[in-house]
Amino acid sequence: MVSGSVKIGASLSFLVVLVAFLYKRHADEVLQARLKDVLSGLLRAEKKVPPPKVRVAVGFGGCEDIFVNGLDLFNLLNLTTPELAKHHNVVNNAEELTQLMAYFFPQGAAAERYIANDTFFDELVEAASKIPGHRWMLGGNAPAMARRFALEGLDVLLGARVALSVVDGLPDSVKVIGETLPKSDVHLLMEYDRNDKWGKYVSPRGNRLIVHSDNVNPYIDGMEAFIEEVVKFQPSLVVIGGLQMMDGFPYEKGVRQARLQKLRDFLKEIPRSTHIHFEMASFADEGLLNEIIENVVYFSDSLGMNEQELPNILNILQGGNVSLVSDSYPRVASVLDEMRTVYSLLKDTKEIDGRRKLTRLHVHTLAFQAILTTKESSWKNTMSAAAKAALTAHRYTCGSHQIDPQKARLIMDESFSLSKTPEAGRIPVNDTRPVSCWQEDGFDLCVAPVLVCTNILQTGGGGDNVSAAGLVLQV
Ligand SMILES: *[C@@H]1O[C@H](CO)[C@@H](O)[C@H](O)[C@H]1NC(C)=O
Ligand SMILES: *[C@@H]1O[C@H](CO)[C@@H](O)[C@H](O)[C@H]1NC(C)=O
Ligand SMILES: *[C@@H]1O[C@H](CO)[C@@H](O)[C@H](O)[C@H]1NC(C)=O
Ligand SMILES: *[C@@H]1O[C@H](CO)[C@@H](O)[C@H](O)[C@H]1NC(C)=O
Ligand SMILES: CC(=O)N[C@H]1CO[C@H](CO)[C@@H](O)[C@@H]1O
């Protein structure tokens, strides 16, 4: 009797393990099948539209990025945690740098700040280049986007003053305007991982603190030469990015404003038939962001940004201050709500003195891509553009054009809510047609799930690739 029940118990537990095993295998198979369906759906949507053969002009700035493990660098230089964490718009010395790191590191928040002391900055870069595993890359939003456009077969004009080595590294179809420099501006990206420890501080998520000591980029040097060439080039699209390099720079009085006004005067003269896209970035200076809205955003018909930059520009447009940190995994519903608000604040801009109504808004997040376009505007193929942006996000972070569903996961749920308001409807995601598109009051919206790379090669610069990829099919 006793041994009988033991036997039954043993076979029962064997059965439970077997069922659990089969169930897990089945669940994995279902998941892989879903990833394959989504992938072939996205590829089909991307292929529907061949990239057009058009001309694009991209400004401004460029640099060489050096990536390094931030804590290794601090250890090498004996930079220990400061007594107090403190935010600095501008860094002058080692003590201020440690205070700044102590401000952002425990929040895991990305930031980019200016170092006013060239001697100190050079010491940092020299030390960084001694750390094993550091790497150099072509940096700056404009060169990254220019390269993406060129890879898609477009003719590109790039406004950037960089060293000859950077120019040589670009595809031939990119024509660089601006005298070459003996040495490019350098940006130092101090990376850290989730749960890294620095003294008493622990980082809740991986991120990086970027510092630079640009002497050329903050003046949008070469803008005049670029403007002259753009007039002759007659592009279908002008893309403006890289203006965050003005953040924190100690200009003499009125110089920053004068440069942005000059940029506005240029944008004003661009014929309506040429689209203008502005790529947002991380801004900490409220005054600067307001000037950029006045001089650039109101003159653009398209905007691109990530999930951190969306609440930032929204706050400023609503008269608030900058938001330094926000949710890095936002829900579709909350992004859609914020997009609607940004759009409603910019869609009725009076088209006088060269100002333009906003007709396109692209938000890129880790989990999905969302593109809004005004109904009957000249932006084409929103569905394919969202698919291409989603595929590019994976290709960039995994570092391979070919996509392997084994190296991907979906963060987006099988359906999403249209809004955070309680009565909002839900949209189910159809795996074989994964891009969901629908119409609202006066505009179209498309949302594409990203096959998130699980084998990450790189993240820095991803936004530029993704934004450029989204634009390619729409002009
Ligand atoms: C850091 O400290 C070590 C040990 O105290 C010392 O040998 C080294 O020279 C210091 N490095 C710098 C850059 O100050
Ligand atoms: C600039 O950096 C150098 C080298 O680290 C340092 O000796 C000097 O004190 C710094 N200057 C200021 C104004 O902090
Ligand atoms: C924004 O303003 C609020 C209220 O005035 C203040 O508490 C907060 O610190 C400000 N945030 C930033 C990033 O300046
Ligand atoms: C998903 O899309 C496919 C292809 O258009 C269609 O045949 C199918 O009915 C759709 N499935 C659902 C659940 O809507
Ligand atoms: C996968 C991919 O297309 N990556 C490109 C993104 O942009 C950078 C910078 O332009 C290129 O180096 C990558 O090849």
Side-chain angles (χ1 to χ4, degrees):
M1 209 49 213
V2 169
S3 80
S5 66
V6 167
K7 239 190 227 158
I8 291 171
S11 19
L12 256 182
S13 57
F14 171 73
L15 214 62
V16 167
V17 170
L18 183 70
V19 167
F21 170 76
L22 288 176
Y23 181 78
K24 168 141 193 338
R25 204 173 69 174
H26 176 69
D28 286 348
E29 278 165 6
V30 168
L31 203 64
Q32 274 303 309
R34 190 175 172 221
L35 286 168
K36 273 191 197 139
D37 282 348
V38 170
L39 175 59
S40 54
L42 290 175
L43 288 172
R44 224 179 312 116
E46 181 189 40
K47 267 200 220 102
K48 250 172 102 171
V49 188
K53 195 76 195 140
V54 296
R55 288 183 298 278
V56 182
V58 190
F60 287 101
C63 55
E64 285 174 74
D65 286 340
I66 178 167
F67 291 74
V68 71
N69 180 308
L71 298 184
D72 285 353
L73 177 63
F74 274 44
N75 288 338
L76 181 68
L77 294 172
N78 295 338
L79 299 179
T80 49
T81 50
E83 299 238 322
L84 81 167
K86 195 169 166 204
H87 185 253
H88 295 277
N89 275 337
V90 177
V91 171
N92 290 293
N93 49 45
E95 189 189 1
E96 291 180 0
L97 180 67
T98 56
Q99 289 173 342
L100 188 72
M101 185 64 131
Y103 181 84
F104 286 111
F105 178 85
Q107 301 195 57
E112 181 163 354
R113 294 293 173 272
Y114 177 75
I115 294 192
N117 180 341
D118 281 347
T119 320
F120 177 50
F121 183 72
D122 291 346
E123 284 173 6
L124 287 174
V125 173
E126 205 196 313
S129 61
K130 286 187 193 135
I131 289 177
H134 76 274
R135 52 192 205 283
W136 286 94
M137 268 176 68
L138 164 78
N141 310 72
M145 292 183 85
R147 188 170 186 153
R148 185 74 251 156
F149 286 126
L151 293 174
E152 299 293 340
L154 277 58
D155 277 332
V156 188
L157 197 67
L158 169 64
R161 294 203 60 197
V162 285
L164 196 59
S165 58
V166 174
V167 177
D168 286 345
L170 287 163
D172 289 341
S173 50
V174 178
K175 187 174 169 205
V176 183
I177 304 302
E179 267 176 81
T180 52
L181 297 170
K183 193 169 157 277
S184 302
D185 280 340
V186 170
H187 289 198
L188 171 60
L189 287 84
M190 297 176 283
E191 301 180 299
Y192 48 82
D193 272 336
R194 186 162 166 245
N195 290 332
D196 270 358
K197 285 181 191 64
W198 179 44
K200 62 185 170 184
Y201 301 116
V202 180
S203 138
R205 74 169 216 229
N207 222 321
R208 59 196 179 235
L209 174 63
I210 306 179
V211 288
H212 69 90
S213 188
D214 283 5
N215 294 308
V216 181
N217 285 320
Y219 290 104
I220 330 179
D221 219 33
M223 174 162 55
E224 283 77 0
F226 180 69
I227 291 171
E228 265 176 45
E229 289 297 319
V230 170
V231 173
K232 289 186 240 159
F233 191 63
Q234 299 188 328
S236 305
L237 171 69
V238 171
V239 176
I240 304 296
L243 299 185
Q244 75 278 14
M245 288 176 224
M246 304 179 93
D247 207 291
F249 187 75
Y251 293 94
E252 282 171 41
K253 198 167 183 300
V255 172
R256 182 175 89 191
Q257 290 75 8
R259 293 310 282 160
L260 285 170
Q261 271 159 27
K262 176 102 201 176
L263 177 55
R264 181 185 65 192
D265 292 342
F266 160 57
L267 297 178
K268 260 162 83 164
E269 296 308 319
I270 294 174
R272 294 262 164 206
S273 53
T274 299
H275 284 303
I276 300 178
H277 173 87
F278 171 60
E279 188 65 21
M280 259 293 277
S282 143
F283 290 97
D285 181 335
E286 198 177 312
L288 173 64
L289 190 47
N290 271 307
E291 286 161 24
I292 285 174
I293 288 172
E294 278 309 310
N295 293 293
V296 183
V297 170
Y298 283 126
F299 293 81
S300 305
D301 31 40
S302 169
L303 297 177
M305 60 193 69
N306 68 21
E307 81 289 341
Q308 302 287 321
E309 296 151 12
L310 175 64
N312 198 10
I313 195 170
L314 177 57
N315 282 352
I316 296 284
L317 283 169
Q318 289 177 322
N321 59 11
V322 291
S323 61
L324 292 174
V325 202
S326 47
D327 187 358
S328 51
Y329 294 97
R331 302 197 31 218
V332 179
S334 62
V335 166
L336 293 176
D337 283 342
E338 289 177 347
M339 287 176 76
R340 290 183 188 100
T341 315
V342 168
Y343 178 68
S344 74
L345 291 167
L346 295 172
K347 75 177 174 40
D348 294 322
T349 302
K350 291 242 177 338
E351 299 204 301
I352 44 170
D353 290 335
R355 287 192 178 76
R356 295 173 181 223
K357 295 181 193 312
L358 185 73
T359 53
R360 181 178 181 276
L361 176 57
H362 176 184
V363 175
H364 33 97
T365 79
L366 188 64
F368 59 91
Q369 302 287 320
I371 302 181
L372 179 159
T373 50
T374 301
K375 211 172 275 175
E376 270 135 46
S377 64
S378 55
W379 299 106
K380 296 176 275 194
N381 312 315
T382 307
M383 196 269 282
S384 295
K388 189 177 188 69
L391 290 166
T392 304
H394 178 100
R395 288 173 182 144
Y396 182 81
T397 43
C398 259
S400 146
H401 187 80
Q402 210 62 37
I403 296 176
D404 178 358
Q406 305 269 10
K407 289 184 189 155
R409 72 192 166 107
L410 285 163
I411 297 181
M412 208 175 125
D413 293 334
E414 284 167 48
S415 71
F416 58 88
S417 181
L418 283 168
S419 167
K420 287 202 296 193
T421 55
E423 68 274 20
R426 290 188 76 82
I427 291 202
V429 178
N430 182 340
D431 291 345
T432 53
R433 295 185 68 189
V435 188
S436 309
C437 296
W438 67 97
Q439 302 198 328
E440 292 191 20
D441 194 17
F443 58 88
D444 298 312
L445 260 165
C446 288
V447 170
V450 173
L451 293 163
V452 182
C453 176
T454 52
N455 201 348
I456 290 176
L457 180 77
Q458 58 194 352
T459 54
D464 300 318
N465 266 277
V466 170
S467 241
L471 278 164
V472 166
L473 301 185
Q474 297 222 265
V475 285

